[in-house]
Amino acid sequence: MNANEQTCSTCGAQIVFEAGKQSLTCPYCGASNRIERPEDALETSFERIVPIAVSQQDLDKRAYIYMASGDFTPDDMIEASTIITRERFYVPAFGFEIDYEAHWTASFGYNRREPYTDYRSVTRGNRTYQEAYTAYRTVTDWRPANGVDAGIFSVAGYAGCRLKGVPNQPRLLVAEAVIDGDSTEFNPSFTTGFDVEGFSESEKNVFDSLQGEIGDEIGERVKSHAQGDSQRDWHWTIPRMNYETTTFAAPICHVVFQYKDAEYNVWVAGHDASSIRADELPVDQDKAKQANIGLWPGALGVLMVIGSAYFWGFAWESLILPGIALGYGFLRRSALIDYSKSIRSSLLTQMLASNQANIEMSEGEQARVARAFQRPERPFFAKIHKDKIVLPALAVVAVIGGIVPNYLSRPERYSITQKASREFAQQQREAEKRAAQEREFAQQRREAEERAAQEREFAQQQREAEERAAQERKSAESQATQDAAEVKTAEARGDESGKETGSSTTKFESPLRTNADDPKVVFELKSVEDDTDCFVETITAKAAAGGTLAVLEAKSISGEYASCSDRKSLQLIVEDMDFDTYNDIRIPGYVGDAGIYYVVWLFDAQKNTYRYSPDLSEIPNLTVDVKNKWITESANISDFDDNSRYKESYYRWVDGKLALFWEETTDRNKNEAVIRALKDGKMVVVETRRLGPNVK
């Protein structure tokens, strides 16, 4: 197959390429085959052309008609303007025939009237009460709906650069010419004597620029399926959208005219002179001011109606004369605008007639031209030479008409207003009386609640005092029993070893909570020492203000009492280990293979005492990170095969329990580190990495 052939996508037959064609028709099966080309390739030929249907005379006529438009355009616009540029040329464009299918869903609302019971105030005699009545409201029943919309429509886009960035967007006229104009197969003879702009935008770029317009068109077609009284929740997808492309030469006409020192552009679609895009015409400010000044007498009268109604009450009769004044002002404004338009229309007819021979005009056209050379007669309401008399007189009438009716109706209005004011004042006094009674009742209720709270607080203080006294008695009895037992133990040890023994108490003081200003707690460490050993037996926690909080037995997880080298080295660590703002305590228990183990007690705020924590007491080399709120364990581990490992573990408090969430184990023999982390409630390996040669 050579470069000038292409395979049919339907039957597989060979199709010969034809220059200038965007698609090839298979001679065997009739299928249309699109010629594939690079996305950024530029077209070099036109398939169809919309011939220029606007002559130069039509172009001038359209420009003069535009000059004569507008409400406050200067009357000499046509006479004082000069056309300095006339252009008619062809520009490149792509026409796209879109074949689509859209699947849509929506909710359609159907309104219905629903009765319900409401209440209104009714006054009969001297009694006002609430009366039930049946009212109606509109209720919308929403029903889901879905469907498929398919069809074919055309869009077009400008594919050159000459009209890009030009004000008034004349490129939009190109799309109108392609879609609405009468196109024919391209023939170079149509472009003879006209400039033809070449393609400077690829098909893909033009199609991409039309995505918004295509989406809007499909949206409008989808929403044409709307039913019911209202709709909402429109959604649609486009599973299929194909398009056929045609290259066009589209006609554009351009006129530039000068008025005074400014230039104005008029762009005209080359297929239809009625379709234009042009610069905004200048406004004669004196004419606009002259037309609007007739409105101020009526406006002044309306202001007087509002002001007098505020002081004396409103009467409908006060709107009559100000309304007449406003009506006169609007009629006068409309008459002045129509008179100005008639002058410009007459000048337009004269201008057009000067460009056309009388022999080409019918008798009716000749009569119209003859009338155009006569200045139009000024309408009655456009006669402004007496404005200095008419407008002030009309203002006086409007002011008097707005004030007098309201003033004359004041006695009746005052009586109604005074009665309404008395009724409102009476209702307000009754409402204030009820509000005062409610406030008094609320105050009495608050005082009763405060007394009940004080009684409960006093009862609670009594119970706490009784509990503290009972604890102190129990602690004293326990202390006496322990002292007696210690004396016997010491005597027994003295008898067995023949060496000096004895016990002593060491005191520490610390705040109960992490705030240093909180109440203090005194810890008494009772230790026993002989010539060979020193160990802590008990820790007694007492409130500095009085009362024993707890008597703690200082046994580590090994079952033995916490050891110390001597009484001078006794250590009590006070810190918040469960991060509840209450200080906890720990002392060194014993030293094992993994490191030092502490005996840990956590403060229980609900029971106001310290409780032993087996979880923290089993962690070697325990450290507390208050900033990150976690507990760290570090330990050296060796097994029977002399495999040495180092492990760091991190714990958090979750619902009052200690939970492991990260762990790193370094195996010195394998030269690797394994990291495990908590995921979905289980510890899983998240990373394994090799260690350097210097790891010991």
Side-chain angles (χ1 to χ4, degrees):
M1 185 174 67
N2 58 42
N4 293 327
E5 293 183 349
Q6 180 171 325
T7 302
C8 177
S9 60
T10 302
C11 66
Q14 302 300 317
I15 310 173
V16 178
F17 174 78
E18 297 181 34
K21 295 292 185 181
Q22 302 297 315
S23 60
L24 302 177
T25 301
C26 178
Y28 302 99
C29 67
S32 178
N33 294 265
R34 184 176 178 80
I35 299 176
E36 299 297 333
R37 58 174 55 241
E39 291 185 348
D40 57 351
L42 297 179
E43 296 292 341
T44 58
S45 61
F46 299 101
E47 294 178 282
R48 300 189 68 81
I49 186 172
V50 179
I52 291 180
V54 178
S55 66
Q56 188 160 318
Q57 184 178 359
D58 294 336
L59 185 59
D60 289 351
K61 179 179 179 180
R62 191 66 187 87
Y64 286 125
I65 291 174
Y66 180 67
M67 294 179 199
S69 63
D71 289 343
F72 299 111
T73 305
D75 291 341
D76 64 342
M77 188 74 184
I78 295 176
E79 294 178 312
S81 296
T82 304
I83 295 179
I84 59 177
T85 301
R86 297 180 181 88
E87 294 179 299
R88 293 185 299 159
F89 53 92
Y90 287 97
V91 296
F94 286 104
F96 302 96
E97 187 176 79
I98 310 296
D99 182 6
Y100 75 96
E101 180 180 303
H103 297 179
W104 58 268
T105 62
S107 296
F108 297 154
Y110 299 85
N111 296 338
R112 59 181 173 84
R113 292 190 70 197
E114 180 183 76
Y116 69 99
T117 301
D118 201 356
Y119 295 88
R120 58 191 172 193
S121 296
V122 177
T123 302
R124 288 189 175 91
N126 295 325
R127 190 169 68 92
T128 301
Y129 60 93
Q130 296 293 312
E131 179 184 68
Y133 71 100
T134 300
Y136 292 88
R137 59 190 169 198
T138 300
V139 178
T140 302
D141 297 325
W142 292 99
R143 301 173 188 173
N146 62 77
V148 177
D149 181 82
I152 298 174
F153 63 92
S154 298
V155 294
Y158 173 60
C161 61
R162 182 172 179 176
L163 303 181
K164 277 192 172 181
V166 177
N168 302 315
Q169 297 184 324
R171 59 185 178 81
L172 299 179
L173 298 174
V174 177
E176 293 183 20
V178 171
I179 296 175
D180 300 331
D182 294 329
S183 66
T184 185
E185 188 174 352
F186 181 78
N187 190 321
S189 63
F190 286 108
T191 63
T192 302
F194 299 101
D195 290 339
V196 181
E197 182 187 6
F199 286 89
S200 58
E201 289 288 345
S202 66
E203 174 188 336
K204 179 181 183 302
N205 290 344
V206 175
F207 185 78
D208 289 344
S209 69
L210 297 174
Q211 288 298 317
E213 182 180 344
I214 294 172
D216 293 341
E217 177 66 22
I218 294 177
E220 290 182 6
R221 289 168 171 253
V222 166
K223 291 184 178 180
S224 66
H225 297 276
Q227 301 175 17
D229 300 297
S230 54
Q231 303 82 34
R232 68 182 184 187
D233 302 332
W234 283 101
H235 301 285
W236 60 86
T237 59
I238 307 174
R240 177 181 63 81
M241 186 172 69
N242 304 315
Y243 65 89
E244 291 290 335
T245 308
T246 305
T247 57
F248 282 85
I252 290 292
C253 303
H254 181 214
V255 172
V256 181
F257 65 89
Q258 184 175 6
Y259 175 73
K260 296 185 177 179
D261 295 330
E263 293 183 357
Y264 300 88
N265 294 273
V266 179
W267 297 90
V268 181
H271 73 291
D272 182 8
S274 64
S275 182
I276 73 167
R277 301 187 73 86
D279 294 338
E280 186 176 354
L281 292 173
V283 174
D284 189 336
Q285 298 295 338
D286 292 336
K287 185 193 300 182
K289 182 180 179 181
Q290 188 180 64
N292 294 325
I293 198 172
L295 298 174
W296 72 265
L300 184 61
V302 171
L303 291 176
M304 293 300 103
V305 170
I306 297 173
S308 60
Y310 177 78
F311 288 102
W312 300 312
F314 174 71
W316 287 103
E317 296 82 357
S318 62
L319 293 177
I320 296 176
L321 293 180
I324 293 175
L326 275 178
Y328 172 83
F330 281 110
L331 288 174
R332 178 182 178 278
R333 184 178 187 274
S334 178
L336 287 173
I337 292 175
D338 291 342
Y339 178 63
S340 174
K341 287 183 177 180
S342 65
I343 292 176
R344 281 176 273 145
S345 177
S346 176
L347 294 174
L348 173 63
T349 303
Q350 296 176 28
M351 179 64 70
L352 296 178
S354 64
N355 296 329
Q356 184 177 7
N358 288 337
I359 58 175
E360 298 178 359
M361 293 188 295
S362 64
E363 292 182 1
E365 291 175 337
Q366 292 180 12
R368 183 167 56 85
V369 171
R371 287 194 301 270
F373 280 91
Q374 300 175 3
R375 188 173 184 85
E377 184 178 355
R378 185 182 290 269
F380 173 77
F381 288 102
K383 296 177 180 179
I384 60 175
H385 60 284
K386 294 183 178 180
D387 278 352
K388 293 182 179 180
I389 299 174
V390 174
L391 294 183
L394 193 61
V396 172
V397 171
V399 169
I400 295 174
I403 295 176
V404 172
N406 289 338
Y407 176 78
L408 295 178
S409 65
R410 75 188 190 286
E412 180 182 355
R413 303 291 176 183
Y414 272 173
S415 62
I416 296 174
T417 304
Q418 289 173 357
K419 182 179 179 181
S421 299
R422 288 195 298 270
E423 292 178 355
F424 177 74
Q426 179 64 23
Q427 294 174 357
Q428 192 173 22
R429 285 193 296 271
E430 293 176 356
E432 291 176 353
K433 184 177 180 181
R434 288 194 298 270
Q437 292 174 350
E438 291 175 357
R439 288 194 297 271
E440 184 178 358
F441 176 74
Q443 179 65 24
Q444 293 174 355
R445 186 170 55 186
R446 284 194 298 271
E447 292 175 356
E449 291 175 354
E450 290 176 358
R451 287 195 298 270
Q454 291 174 355
E455 292 175 357
R456 288 195 298 271
E457 183 179 359
F458 179 72
Q460 178 66 21
Q461 292 174 354
Q462 282 187 327
R463 286 194 296 273
E464 291 176 354
E466 292 173 356
E467 290 175 358
R468 285 196 298 271
Q471 288 178 356
E472 290 176 358
R473 288 195 299 272
K474 185 176 180 181
S475 176
E477 293 173 357
S478 175
Q479 185 67 35
T481 303
Q482 290 180 2
D483 291 344
E486 289 172 1
V487 171
K488 292 181 180 180
T489 302
E491 291 175 353
R493 288 180 179 174
D495 292 340
E496 292 175 1
S497 61
K499 299 179 180 179
E500 182 181 357
T501 63
S503 63
S504 65
T505 300
T506 305
K507 293 185 178 180
F508 295 87
E509 186 176 288
S510 173
L512 177 62
R513 305 184 70 165
T514 54
N515 187 352
D517 296 332
D518 281 345
K520 306 294 184 182
V521 178
V522 178
F523 300 94
E524 297 179 357
L525 277 66
K526 184 177 180 182
S527 60
V528 178
E529 181 182 18
D530 56 20
D531 293 341
T532 59
D533 296 311
C534 175
F535 53 91
V536 179
E537 287 187 336
T538 61
I539 300 176
T540 302
K542 297 182 179 181
T548 300
L549 300 179
V551 179
L552 311 173
E553 187 177 19
K555 285 189 177 182
S556 64
I557 58 172
S558 64
E560 300 177 351
Y561 287 104
S563 62
C564 56
S565 58
D566 55 53
R567 292 192 179 100
K568 296 180 180 180
S569 65
L570 284 177
Q571 184 181 14
L572 176 69
I573 301 174
V574 180
E575 59 185 339
D576 184 8
M577 287 178 277
D578 57 355
F579 315 115
D580 61 350
T581 72
Y582 286 92
N583 282 322
D584 310 305
I585 59 174
R586 59 185 168 116
I587 61 174
Y590 76 103
V591 178
D593 294 335
I596 184 169
Y597 291 81
Y598 293 87
V599 187
V600 182
W601 293 272
L602 302 177
F603 185 76
D604 189 338
Q606 293 182 349
K607 297 182 179 180
N608 199 34
T609 187
Y610 290 85
R611 56 179 174 80
Y612 174 70
S613 175
D615 293 337
L616 294 177
S617 299
E618 294 177 358
I619 295 178
N621 302 316
L622 179 147
T623 57
V624 180
D625 191 334
V626 177
K627 179 180 179 182
N628 295 310
K629 294 188 177 180
W630 63 45
I631 303 295
T632 305
E633 168 190 352
S634 57
N636 290 305
I637 306 172
S638 300
D639 54 22
F640 293 106
D641 296 331
D642 199 28
N643 291 326
S644 178
R645 291 175 296 166
Y646 175 74
K647 182 175 73 172
E648 281 190 0
S649 303
Y650 293 80
Y651 300 82
R652 281 198 180 102
W653 291 100
V654 180
D655 295 331
K657 295 182 180 181
L658 202 62
L660 176 66
F661 72 92
W662 193 89
E663 183 181 80
E664 179 176 357
T665 304
T666 303
D667 193 325
R668 297 177 175 85
N669 294 327
K670 295 182 179 180
N671 242 16
E672 69 176 12
V674 178
I675 298 176
R676 298 164 64 236
L678 183 65
K679 287 189 176 180
D680 299 328
K682 296 181 180 180
M683 295 294 292
V684 297
V685 176
V686 295
E687 182 182 357
T688 301
R689 66 172 183 268
R690 299 291 299 172
L691 302 176
N694 296 327
V695 176
K696 298 181 180 179

